[in-house]
Amino acid sequence: YRWPLDEAGDGQRLEHLASKVLQNARCYSVSHLSVQERIEKKRKAALTGGGQLRIAAQHKRGKLTARERLELLLDPDSFVEYDMFVEHRCSDFGMEADHNKYPGDSVVTGQGRINGRLVYVFSQDFTVFGGSLSGAHAQKVCKIMDQAMMVGAPVIGLNDSGGARIQEGVESLAGYADIFLRNVMASGVVPQISLIMGPCAGGAVYSPALTDFTFMVKDTSYLFITGPDVVKSVTNEDVTQEELGGAKTHTTVSGVAHRAFENDIDALLNLRDFFNFLPLSNKDPAPVTECHDPRDRLVPGLDTIVPLESTKAYDMLDIVHGIVDEREFFEIMPNYAKNIVVGFARMNGRTVGIVGNQPKVASGCLDINSSVKGARFVRFCDAFNIPIITFVDVPGFLPGTAQEYGGIIRHGAKLLYAFAEATVPKITVITRKAYGGAYDVMSSKHLRGDVNYAWPSAEVAVMGAKGAVQIIFRGKENQAEAEAEYVEKFANPFPAAVRGFVDDIIQPSTTRKRICRDLEVLASKKQTNPWKKHANIPL
Amino acid sequence: MAAYRNTPGFQRVLHAVKHVCFSKQRCGVIICRYSTVYDPNEKTFDKILIANRGEIACRVIKTCKKMGIKTVAVHSDVDSSAVHVKVADEAVCVGPAPTSKSYLNMDAIMNAIKQTGAQAVHPGYGFLSENKEFAKRLAAEGVTFIGPDTHAIQAMGDKIESKLIAKAAKVNTIPGFDGVVKDAEEAVKIAGEIGYPVMIKASAGGGGKGMRIAWNDEETREGFRFSSQEALSSFGDDRLLIEKFIDNPRHIEIQVLADKHGDALWLNERECSIQRRNQKVVEEAPSTFLDPDTRRAMGEQAVSLANAVKYSSAGTVEFLVDSKKNFYFLEMNTRLQVEHPITECITGLDLVQQMIRIAKGYKLQHKQSDIPINGWAVESRVYAEDPYKSFGLPSIGRLSQYQEPLDLPNVRVDSGIQEGSDISIYYDPMISKLVTYGKTREEALKKMEDALDNYVIRGVTHNIPLLREIIVHPRFVSGDISTKFLPEVYPDGFKGHMLTAGERRELLATAAALYVAAQLRSQKFLGDLRVSVVPAESRQWELCVELDKGVHMLGVSRSGNNYTVEIDGEKVEVSGEWNLASALLPITINGKHRTLQCLLRTAAGEISLQYLGTSFKLRVLSNLAASLSKHMPEKVPEDTSSILRSPMPGSVVAVSVKPGDNVAEGQEICVIEAMKMQNSMTAAKTAKVKSVHCKAGDTVGEGDLLVELE
């Protein structure tokens, strides 16, 4: 999209902002005009960051400025800025010179509203020293994080930084660590979201990594420990920035980022949308918004979605879209470990976390990546009171040396652990296969599932009929007959239902209705785990 | 693995599923205005097997239920949960997905008849409906074929023989038609004798499938090659027919009904001129073109042809009618036609019931003077097709949302699918037949507009944009149509609805109002909140809306559910309930009622609206976001000039190039077959072939890479 608007737009907007600030400033009872003038000058300087030339350069890269980003992210006129007058304290290498001081330094911080709800934000300003992190920069970020924790509101970081302020040396490193510590302290207390909108390299990457969600902007953002030059000198690999740490790499290969967006505007508008799914803190219930989708809506398409042949695939997303409010599903990591689907949706207006095996990809098996992906998502939901709805069609864990050597035992245990420790409402729907250990893992009744349903097509068994018969009747004739017997006995929902391991066998088209009703009941669920300093998840 | 599904335990579960489904099931057929009485004392059959699928199987079952007849559905394995299987009393699987192994598999169908004890078979249309072999086998087993006897099928099934019989029965026939063709050169010779233009088609084929028109020797050779291949793949019979092509004709057909006692009736005409690639798209009854004399003359000739072959059952005599109302016999279809509902609407007869009665040996209940023309009926064939590609190339997919406009009066929808159904590459891509009825043609067409606007189809590309345009086109509305309507009206292909300035404002205003409604709702949080919500106070919105590369600045103000949108100095009032979950968006724009559909609404401001049948992509942004958009990098789309992708899902019939070959622009590269249509894929430029990614026999999806050029 190219909007044919006048080029003077930016200048005008900045002027407008500046005049607003001036108006506010004039409200002071002013006795020393020189101080008043200095205040105005500083504020104006703060609003232009690194200056018009650098702003133009930022735009030329297809990126918006730190302030433009905040304007888009937050409700109009809701931003309250802190620390506009903070300046860096470095006095080496000529940094002490006036022309090297920028009011506010290389980050804009404060709080504001997204759709009326409180959020703390910081937005790194690439036009000031490439957004590099000085002690002052870190201090500003820490201040809003501390307040967010006290108030109980999420923190959103817009990252666009070249890295440490090298001139400041260890002070910059200390700043990183201060932020890391706060990221860890805030983890599980308030939601933390990172949107990578430019470079983010070296130690800086660990702050996003510690937050709950990391989003990226395609083509203009990078995340890596060391850049292509260092990679070349150390491992002799030729790799571009994009290949090494671009949005595609991190959303499909490494799993570092949870989603990528087309450009700054697309990313920020989507972030606003995403924010609406989250509670403000671990003290708040999952948010409920006005919903136009009837809670008792039947979904006739689900009655035919599971193919009759158990080897045939279908798209779990079709089930998810059919069941949730208005077919709206914010998928997390849609291009990574696609054999499991996770994301946020609403049921009768209330945020829920969805976890589903995806039969379309690798038969929906659990492997290392999908287990880790699922586990992290489940733990987020549990930390922030978001009910979890699990759709199960899993043939088991993926066999093979690659998986065993990679530690599937250790990683698969994470998902098991996450489901088991979760105390939020847990509703499980077995759509087809629930085989072996993977059945146990996928929010089974045994792991304190609150309501577990089976569709008529469900098969809860130790394994598929063929494999089972080969073991039970090894070397015997009439394998086909035995297989039929096994199918008759186990490849259906009855063995689980008669033992109470599923609470009911339900007509697929009624699934939405049932879940909405259950969630209302479970809204007052109270469950606690034994006291512990912290649990020891198999990392 | 699949076999174990037949175990008793599983069957029990399946049965339970089926039972619940059925209680909620609409068959999708609402018959308007039958004057027919279903006399329960008139003994016909106890059980009928329907040797077909989809809407026509459902249609037949519907009447059987009214007549108190038990029904048996047959199905392929992929169709095991299809609607026709659910609505039938019994169902038998007759084989795997390909039609040659299931719905055309006579052995399996004969077994199904034996297994279920069906006394009669209704063949629907297509498949085995005009297969004399099938009729013979049924007769041998003492099972009634609900259709004409073998003799009539054979006589009318052969294009050459049928014309000889027609001639003898004093039916007007097309001049200059001739015999069976052996090779391309003979085709050219015959064409020369007849005089161009000529039409080439498969002798054994019905309808327009496999029909090609040649204007010169070169096109005759090409037409011969394609038609013979298609004839072979579709009918297992590569005989062809070449005849004089009547330029600018109308296609008008007469429905006949004849019993086994020598009585025959004509049930008026159906106008089927709106066609694409010789397949019907919109039909109506009666025709605006026929006067009572022509109608009677055609009707009487049709009846005399039926009598000549001792026809019994329902049948259709197709005519080409030129601009001077000369009519020529084209062919006789010895089956129930797809478009039969419009005849039912204007005559009040249930044709399926009549066929069943006749098959049982009853005499016709009506006399010719009993057959009325009551009102007007229009039928739109709703297809899973992309109308922007040659007026319709097949598309496939799962119907993620599906809602028929059945709450409107005088609307009939014959369909065999439901929400969740898959439109697959194996079968005809028809979704439904949408029929509207009115006292006048105007009323029927208005009703059709409403019905198309209220028809919700998601998950597959469909041809509603084209249908909606046809029925409001001035030429169509005035009745000035011919079989060339589509290519004449859209010489550069169908491009969707062209918005007038006023319509454009309506669309922009609706998108803006929808955007604001959604924005306001996203600030509404319910329940007790620890931290209060402070929504942005605003009654005025300054928005920027992009549509077709045009950018508009809009001012929106709201009071309750009413929005006033100011566009380029003009005010548009939009009001509605703004139910953001509903597929339909019924609103009032400047006092006019309109039903739009919201197809897409994203967080980034993209909104797709179906308006006047066509879907339009818009983008709504705040002025701030819009003004910053100029800084966003332009993403370069993939260069596609040297890449050949499959335009539709289908199978590769032939690949005529290999890597390293030089191809000229327009040269055939490969042939893709989908839904029995062969499509020649040609090179977009003169170049060397870099790589070939398909081979004959491959199944390809839409957008799959076929061949790369250098």
Side-chain angles (χ1 to χ4, degrees):
Chain A
Y1 283 92
R2 311 294 291 183
W3 301 86
L5 297 177
D6 63 313
E7 287 293 328
D10 301 322
Q12 276 175 7
R13 206 171 33 262
L14 284 168
E15 285 299 321
H16 170 73
L17 277 172
S19 72
K20 252 192 182 157
V21 172
L22 288 180
Q23 276 167 16
N24 291 338
R26 282 195 190 95
C27 295
Y28 285 92
S29 66
V30 184
S31 52
H32 301 286
L33 267 182
S34 62
V35 172
Q36 186 58 38
E37 274 169 8
R38 278 167 64 198
I39 294 171
E40 285 171 17
K41 209 175 143 201
K42 291 267 184 200
R43 282 199 194 273
K44 198 165 176 182
L47 292 178
T48 46
Q52 291 299 348
L53 280 177
R54 293 214 178 90
I55 289 175
Q58 176 83 347
H59 285 159
K60 209 163 172 197
R61 285 186 206 104
K63 302 197 297 182
L64 298 179
T65 65
R67 287 176 187 279
E68 286 167 340
R69 287 167 175 167
L70 288 178
E71 265 193 282
L72 279 177
L73 175 66
L74 301 173
D75 293 348
D77 298 325
S78 73
F79 181 49
V80 178
E81 185 168 345
Y82 297 159
D83 290 341
M84 210 179 203
F85 296 101
V86 165
E87 290 174 1
H88 74 76
R89 299 177 293 267
C90 181
S91 53
D92 297 321
F93 312 112
M95 290 292 283
E96 68 278 16
D98 269 359
H99 69 269
N100 274 338
K101 298 243 175 168
Y102 294 85
D105 205 18
S106 51
V107 66
V108 183
T109 59
Q111 42 97 344
R113 302 268 167 176
I114 293 178
N115 287 316
R117 295 197 315 152
L118 183 63
V119 61
Y120 283 81
V121 288
F122 68 87
S123 178
Q124 293 179 319
D125 187 349
F126 196 77
T127 65
V128 177
F129 298 117
S132 62
L133 190 122
S134 62
H137 178 139
Q139 185 194 327
K140 283 181 73 174
V141 173
C142 289
K143 188 192 267 184
I144 60 123
M145 291 183 74
D146 288 341
Q147 204 178 93
M149 289 263 286
M150 283 190 291
V151 169
V155 178
I156 295 180
L158 307 181
N159 298 63
D160 189 359
S161 163
R165 183 85 48 91
I166 297 168
Q167 294 91 331
E168 290 196 7
V170 72
E171 179 147 4
S172 176
L173 296 183
Y176 276 124
D178 289 342
I179 296 174
F180 296 157
L181 175 68
R182 279 160 183 82
N183 284 137
V184 173
M185 289 301 110
S187 182
V189 179
V190 294
Q192 302 180 79
I193 305 166
S194 303
L195 176 54
I196 316 299
M197 309 187 81
C200 184
V205 297
Y206 284 109
S207 175
L210 289 167
T211 61
D212 299 302
F213 295 101
T214 303
F215 299 122
M216 292 182 79
V217 179
K218 287 180 192 169
D219 305 328
T220 48
S221 73
Y222 309 98
L223 273 166
F224 36 66
I225 298 285
T226 48
D229 296 342
V230 179
V231 169
K232 174 76 184 165
S233 68
V234 176
T235 67
N236 206 25
E237 287 171 290
D238 276 310
V239 66
T240 63
Q241 276 200 2
E242 184 64 34
E243 287 164 356
L244 185 62
K248 195 170 175 195
T249 301
H250 286 313
T251 52
T252 61
V253 182
S254 73
V256 165
H258 295 88
R259 236 174 119 157
F261 300 102
E262 285 308 313
N263 56 44
D264 279 14
I265 294 175
D266 189 43
L268 292 163
L269 294 178
N270 271 291
L271 191 48
R272 281 178 64 85
D273 189 49
F274 174 68
F275 187 77
N276 263 20
F277 284 104
L278 308 179
L280 294 188
S281 74
N282 60 359
K283 298 264 174 21
D284 299 289
V288 184
T289 54
E290 185 180 287
C291 170
H292 296 166
D293 204 349
R295 71 174 96 173
D296 55 354
R297 173 170 58 85
L298 293 179
V299 194
L302 298 187
D303 286 336
T304 53
I305 193 160
V306 177
L308 289 182
E309 308 97 278
S310 62
T311 48
K312 221 175 140 194
Y314 60 93
D315 191 348
M316 188 56 86
L317 283 173
D318 284 339
I319 294 180
V320 175
H321 286 140
I323 285 175
V324 302
D325 288 357
E326 297 176 22
R327 311 182 64 78
E328 200 182 321
F329 179 54
F330 192 99
E331 192 172 351
I332 298 293
M333 303 176 105
N335 296 315
Y336 176 81
K338 293 203 258 188
N339 39 345
I340 200 163
V341 169
V342 301
F344 296 102
R346 295 187 182 87
M347 294 296 283
N348 198 24
R350 185 191 312 270
T351 298
V352 293
I354 305 272
V355 180
N357 307 111
Q358 173 58 285
K360 240 177 70 173
V361 181
S363 305
C365 72
L366 288 176
D367 57 7
I368 293 170
N369 290 347
S370 62
S371 299
V372 174
K373 172 180 168 183
R376 181 148 177 83
F377 180 76
V378 166
R379 294 195 97 213
F380 176 83
C381 291
D382 186 45
F384 291 102
N385 313 314
I386 297 170
I388 300 163
I389 300 171
T390 309
F391 295 100
V392 184
D393 187 348
V394 64
F397 282 96
L398 182 65
T401 49
Q403 290 291 311
E404 295 291 0
Y405 295 174
I408 179 70
I409 297 173
R410 191 157 55 86
H411 296 292
K414 292 176 184 172
L415 184 58
L416 169 62
Y417 191 104
F419 271 123
E421 76 171 337
T423 54
V424 290
K426 290 187 283 191
I427 300 174
T428 307
V429 181
I430 300 173
T431 60
R432 191 168 61 181
K433 287 173 227 170
Y435 286 171
Y439 153 72
D440 284 339
V441 169
M442 293 302 294
S443 196
S444 64
K445 199 78 195 162
H446 325 288
L447 302 183
R448 302 190 293 186
D450 295 301
V451 185
N452 292 54
Y453 291 124
W455 283 3
S457 45
E459 306 166 15
V460 185
V462 175
M463 58 176 74
K466 202 170 209 143
V469 167
Q470 276 168 5
I471 294 168
I472 304 172
F473 302 100
R474 180 166 297 170
K476 297 224 172 108
E477 309 226 326
N478 273 340
Q479 297 264 324
E481 201 176 289
E483 198 179 314
E485 192 191 340
Y486 189 90
V487 165
E488 159 74 8
K489 279 213 170 94
F490 295 118
N492 58 58
F494 295 118
V498 295
R499 288 165 176 82
F501 298 160
V502 296
D503 300 293
D504 201 357
I505 302 171
I506 62 169
Q507 187 62 29
S509 53
T510 64
T511 308
R512 171 177 167 82
K513 194 170 131 179
R514 301 288 293 249
I515 293 177
C516 283
R517 208 156 57 186
D518 295 329
L519 284 172
E520 249 149 67
V521 172
L522 291 169
S524 58
K525 175 186 174 186
K526 286 262 182 315
Q527 189 172 42
T528 46
N529 292 330
W531 185 90
K532 47 185 107 175
K533 185 175 173 195
H534 64 70
N536 190 13
I537 187 165
L539 293 173
Chain B
M1 286 291 269
Y4 70 70
R5 292 281 176 178
N6 288 325
T7 57
F10 189 76
Q11 291 295 337
R12 265 201 308 277
V13 182
L14 253 194
H15 183 74
V17 178
K18 200 166 142 178
H19 186 72
V20 182
C21 295
F22 190 53
S23 60
K24 276 272 155 194
Q25 185 60 49
R26 287 186 317 222
C27 187
V29 182
I30 288 186
I31 312 271
C32 39
R33 282 157 216 285
Y34 280 148
S35 56
T36 312
V37 182
Y38 301 91
D39 180 358
N41 297 321
E42 190 179 81
K43 182 89 185 75
T44 53
F45 303 99
D46 297 323
K47 194 188 269 186
I48 289 178
L49 179 140
I50 297 96
N52 213 306
R53 66 181 298 282
E55 67 89 13
I56 194 62
C58 294
R59 163 71 191 88
V60 173
I61 290 168
K62 189 89 182 169
T63 289
C64 289
K65 283 189 190 297
K66 287 186 185 168
M67 296 175 74
I69 300 169
K70 289 216 156 26
T71 51
V72 181
V74 292
H75 62 89
S76 64
D77 54 10
V78 295
D79 269 348
S80 49
S81 54
V83 177
H84 77 278
V85 173
K86 287 183 192 160
V87 295
D89 297 306
E90 288 174 70
V92 182
C93 182
V94 288
T99 52
S100 58
K101 290 178 180 157
S102 50
Y103 296 102
L104 290 170
N105 181 348
M106 281 189 236
D107 291 337
I109 291 173
M110 293 309 295
N111 281 339
I113 294 166
K114 261 185 224 153
Q115 187 188 325
T116 57
Q119 297 159 340
V121 170
H122 197 300
Y125 53 73
F127 295 137
L128 299 170
S129 62
E130 290 170 290
N131 187 310
K132 54 181 194 279
E133 201 55 45
F134 183 57
K136 263 186 209 154
R137 284 184 68 171
L138 290 176
E141 297 285 334
V143 177
T144 310
F145 178 76
I146 301 173
D149 64 23
T150 328
H151 164 72
I153 297 176
Q154 178 156 13
M156 293 294 108
D158 189 306
K159 301 291 177 291
I160 297 157
E161 196 187 340
S162 70
K163 281 188 187 165
L164 295 175
I165 296 170
K167 233 177 204 165
K170 301 218 160 39
V171 176
N172 305 350
T173 53
I174 296 175
F177 77 90
D178 212 336
V180 178
V181 188
K182 295 284 183 285
D183 58 32
E185 289 320 306
E186 195 187 340
V188 170
K189 189 168 145 263
I190 294 167
E193 282 165 12
I194 299 169
Y196 286 108
V198 296
M199 186 186 72
I200 304 168
K201 67 189 276 186
S203 285
K209 286 189 174 174
M211 184 157 123
R212 277 186 166 74
I213 290 144
W215 295 80
N216 54 44
D217 291 358
E218 194 43 49
E219 287 177 11
T220 305
R221 284 188 197 100
E222 195 183 328
F224 169 81
R225 195 160 48 83
F226 267 106
S227 299
S228 55
Q229 270 172 23
E230 239 172 56
L232 198 59
S233 72
S234 294
F235 312 105
D237 176 351
D238 61 353
R239 289 181 307 151
L240 291 184
L241 177 76
I242 304 178
E243 63 181 24
K244 174 83 176 174
F245 174 65
I246 295 173
D247 203 6
N248 230 17
R250 282 169 181 263
H251 178 121
I252 299 178
E253 59 191 28
I254 301 285
Q255 176 72 52
V256 295
L257 200 58
D259 64 18
K260 293 183 172 172
H261 307 277
D263 280 337
L265 298 170
W266 47 275
L267 306 182
N268 301 311
E269 77 280 10
R270 290 187 289 259
E271 164 74 75
C272 310
S273 296
I274 306 293
Q275 305 184 345
R276 49 119 179 84
R277 299 194 305 270
N278 296 309
Q279 281 186 277
K280 296 159 192 167
V281 182
V282 175
E283 300 106 338
E284 60 183 313
S287 165
T288 54
F289 191 61
L290 294 193
D291 53 60
D293 289 342
T294 315
R295 177 175 297 127
R296 189 179 324 108
M298 289 171 76
E300 281 167 0
Q301 287 199 8
V303 163
S304 89
L305 177 62
N307 286 334
V309 289
K310 296 200 174 59
Y311 197 85
S312 68
S313 192
T316 297
V317 183
E318 295 189 343
F319 292 99
L320 284 183
V321 184
D322 72 15
S323 53
K324 298 182 183 65
K325 292 189 182 145
N326 296 314
F327 56 89
Y328 304 100
F329 170 69
L330 198 58
E331 62 181 25
M332 181 169 189
N333 296 316
T334 58
R335 54 169 156 88
L336 190 64
Q337 292 276 97
V338 175
E339 58 274 20
H340 75 274
I342 52 176
T343 298
E344 296 186 324
C345 280
I346 61 160
T347 61
L349 266 69
D350 179 339
L351 288 177
V352 173
Q353 182 210 16
Q354 298 305 327
M355 289 175 81
I356 294 172
R357 288 187 71 255
I358 291 166
K360 185 65 186 176
Y362 288 108
K363 290 190 124 209
L364 290 175
Q365 288 166 314
H366 303 82
K367 292 194 209 33
Q368 189 62 50
S369 57
D370 297 337
I371 304 302
I373 299 183
N374 283 330
W376 214 282
V378 184
E379 174 180 282
S380 293
R381 295 197 191 184
V382 182
Y383 276 103
E385 286 184 341
D386 183 351
Y388 299 98
K389 295 178 186 165
S390 337
F391 300 114
L393 285 190
S395 65
I396 55 167
R398 179 174 182 274
L399 286 166
S400 55
Q401 278 177 289
Y402 183 75
Q403 198 178 310
E404 293 171 351
L406 289 174
D407 40 357
L408 300 177
N410 291 335
V411 172
R412 164 176 168 173
V413 184
D414 282 23
S415 69
I417 43 104
Q418 59 182 356
E419 191 168 303
S421 292
D422 263 318
I423 308 282
S424 71
I425 59 163
Y426 299 111
Y427 310 114
D428 192 76
M430 190 159 79
I431 294 173
S432 79
K433 302 181 310 204
L434 178 62
V435 180
T436 59
Y437 175 83
K439 283 194 203 70
T440 60
R441 184 168 187 261
E442 198 189 349
E443 207 180 293
L445 288 177
K446 182 75 195 80
K447 188 59 67 185
M448 184 60 80
E449 282 180 43
D450 291 346
L452 288 169
D453 285 343
N454 282 278
Y455 203 148
V456 178
I457 303 169
R458 303 275 198 279
V460 293
T461 312
H462 55 76
N463 67 339
I464 283 182
L466 177 64
L467 297 170
R468 183 69 171 69
E469 278 302 284
I470 291 171
I471 58 153
V472 296
H473 194 276
R475 268 190 64 185
F476 180 82
V477 172
S478 69
D480 172 22
I481 54 175
S482 76
T483 54
K484 293 178 139 188
F485 178 85
L486 288 178
E488 275 173 16
V489 169
Y490 307 106
D492 303 322
F494 179 64
K495 301 267 193 290
H497 180 75
M498 296 296 152
L499 293 170
T500 64
E503 288 167 350
R504 194 178 173 89
R505 277 197 295 275
E506 287 191 4
L507 183 60
L508 291 166
T510 308
L514 186 65
Y515 171 87
V516 173
Q519 290 282 311
L520 288 174
R521 191 185 62 162
S522 62
Q523 303 178 352
K524 287 187 185 155
F525 291 89
L526 312 175
D528 293 332
L529 301 166
R530 188 181 52 85
V531 181
S532 62
V533 173
V534 186
E537 282 291 321
S538 187
R539 291 183 188 287
Q540 269 299 129
W541 289 265
E542 298 296 324
L543 301 177
C544 192
V545 186
E546 189 182 272
L547 168 64
D548 300 334
K549 303 211 160 68
V551 178
H552 303 259
M553 312 303 284
L554 273 63
V556 185
S557 59
R558 163 182 167 263
S559 106
N561 280 337
N562 307 320
Y563 292 87
T564 305
V565 184
E566 203 173 316
I567 307 169
D568 310 328
E570 302 237 13
K571 280 192 174 160
V572 183
E573 305 283 340
V574 195
S575 59
E577 283 201 16
W578 308 109
N579 181 326
L580 299 172
S582 163
L584 296 173
L585 194 63
I587 50 171
T588 308
I589 312 177
N590 284 341
K592 260 181 305 186
H593 183 76
R594 295 258 195 219
T595 302
L596 283 80
Q597 297 189 22
C598 181
L599 309 171
L600 176 80
R601 187 166 49 78
T602 71
E606 287 148 322
I607 293 182
S608 286
L609 290 173
Q610 183 180 315
Y611 172 62
L612 303 172
T614 296
S615 81
F616 293 93
K617 284 196 177 91
L618 300 102
R619 190 166 195 211
V620 185
L621 289 177
S622 66
N623 269 1
L624 171 70
S627 69
L628 293 174
S629 285
K630 64 173 182 285
H631 301 305
M632 295 299 99
E634 221 163 347
K635 311 261 161 156
V636 186
E638 186 189 13
D639 174 29
T640 54
S641 70
S642 55
I643 287 171
L644 183 70
R645 292 183 185 281
S646 176
M648 68 206 149
S651 59
V652 180
V653 176
V655 181
S656 4
V657 296
K658 55 184 191 304
D661 285 0
N662 285 309
V663 291
E665 186 182 331
Q667 186 182 329
E668 181 184 293
I669 286 184
C670 62
V671 178
I672 306 284
E673 183 181 280
M675 280 92 175
K676 304 225 166 114
M677 274 292 307
Q678 291 204 344
N679 296 272
S680 174
M681 308 292 305
T682 55
K685 62 175 188 186
T686 302
K688 198 181 221 178
V689 176
K690 188 175 167 194
S691 55
V692 175
H693 299 268
C694 62
K695 58 181 191 302
D698 282 0
T699 304
V700 291
E702 182 178 339
D704 281 4
L705 181 62
L706 300 173
V707 171
E708 257 182 293
L709 303 178
E710 270 176 3

